[in-house]
Amino acid sequence: MLTIEFVLLYLALGGFVGFMAGLLGVGGGGILVPLLAMLFGYQGMAESQVIHLALGTALTCMIITSAASIRAHAARGAVQWPLVGFMAGGILTGAFLMARWSSQINPVFIALFFSLFMAVIALQMFMNWRPRPSQSPASPPGLLLAGLTIGSVSALAAVGGGFLSLLYLGHKNVPLKQAIGTSAAIGFPIAIAGALGFMVSGWSHTSAIPYSLGYVYLPAFLIITVSSIAAAPLGARCAHNLPDVQLKRIFGLVSLALSIKMLATVI
């Protein structure tokens, strides 16, 4: 049941997600998934559906938060559009197909995958590990394959697109702040394809949930996007004023907290 308390919680969550999307160049899905799963459970939705609903709703919200984040980073010249264009085809294909298939996966396995993936992100940030810089420039086939991988992972770990994009772009010698801006742009096709996939895959499973569109809970989507749009430019401004090492520490701490939260959801 949607009450005023949940409306206020969704507003606060949207503000936080929008700020972090601008700060870290991610669409905010990784932040949303465990928190939405918790809120959906409190609203009385079926335990077997909250993970899929959280993923579908988070990816739909990412359409808006990514767009706001892109605008803020592009205004600072921090998006390498040719890279985004070459990766987009693979991203759209991988994200849609994985989201479409996800309805057949036990939600516990999805939650465990998400938790493990976020823990790996945190470990990578704390250890400051980076892939060895490539000696060759990015090629169209390589960008397409990278996009396919990133899109597929992102359908099950909504922050995966941002993390894998940052690793890949770093490997291709893209400076961190431009990698963050480009990663934000890459998150946009991920969000569109993933959201459509979850709408289709959940169409016959959520008829008993009011205001749902497949695995997308519309009230949460609408309320979260209102506050996230306002907060994303502030996060982007902070990203360009903070040293790289501080951005990595923030990313690591957030990832670790989300990993623990999602793990607590299923144990």
Side-chain angles (χ1 to χ4, degrees):
M1 181 178 178
L2 185 66
T3 64
I4 186 62
E5 289 83 0
F6 284 108
V7 171
L8 294 175
L9 286 170
Y10 288 138
L11 280 171
L13 182 56
F16 177 61
V17 166
F19 177 82
M20 296 305 291
L23 182 69
L24 301 175
V26 297
I31 299 169
L32 281 172
V33 171
L35 299 178
L36 281 175
M38 176 184 68
L39 291 177
F40 290 160
Y42 288 158
Q43 283 185 250
M45 297 181 191
E47 185 177 343
S48 61
Q49 294 180 325
V50 294
I51 298 298
H52 290 96
L53 278 164
L55 278 165
T57 306
L59 285 164
T60 309
C61 290
M62 281 173 60
I63 296 173
I64 308 301
T65 56
S66 290
S69 182
I70 290 168
R71 182 179 179 183
H73 285 288
R76 296 172 178 269
V79 179
Q80 293 198 12
W81 291 109
L83 297 180
V84 177
F86 280 119
M87 296 175 72
I91 285 170
L92 289 166
T93 302
F96 179 80
L97 292 178
M98 182 60 74
R100 181 72 179 85
W101 178 60
S102 68
S103 63
Q104 310 301 319
I105 304 175
N106 189 310
V108 173
F109 294 149
I110 296 177
L112 290 175
F113 174 80
F114 180 96
S115 181
L116 177 61
F117 195 89
M118 297 301 289
V120 171
I121 292 176
L123 182 63
Q124 188 272 336
M125 291 295 172
F126 290 138
M127 295 181 66
N128 200 29
W129 176 83
R130 295 186 66 186
R132 182 176 300 177
S134 174
Q135 301 302 315
S136 60
S139 64
L143 289 168
L144 185 66
L145 180 60
L148 185 65
T149 303
I150 290 168
S152 299
V153 172
S154 299
L156 295 182
V159 78
F163 172 68
L164 293 177
S165 298
L166 287 173
L167 282 183
Y168 179 74
L169 295 172
H171 174 62
K172 291 301 180 180
N173 302 300
V174 178
L176 180 61
K177 287 184 172 60
Q178 286 203 357
I180 288 175
T182 305
S183 174
I186 288 170
F188 189 68
I190 289 173
I192 292 175
L196 287 174
F198 275 102
M199 287 179 191
V200 173
S201 66
W203 197 264
S204 61
H205 297 280
T206 57
S207 57
I209 300 177
Y211 315 117
S212 65
L213 189 63
Y215 282 127
V216 176
Y217 184 57
L218 294 176
F221 159 66
L222 294 171
I223 296 167
I224 287 169
T225 54
V226 168
S227 51
S228 66
I229 290 172
L234 177 60
R237 194 177 308 125
C238 291
H240 287 270
N241 292 328
L242 287 173
D244 290 355
V245 65
Q246 290 191 21
L247 287 174
K248 289 183 178 181
R249 287 173 181 169
I250 294 170
F251 204 162
L253 287 171
V254 170
S255 300
L256 181 60
L258 294 171
S259 173
I260 294 170
K261 176 57 189 170
M262 182 59 93
L263 188 60
T265 301
V266 295
I267 62 174

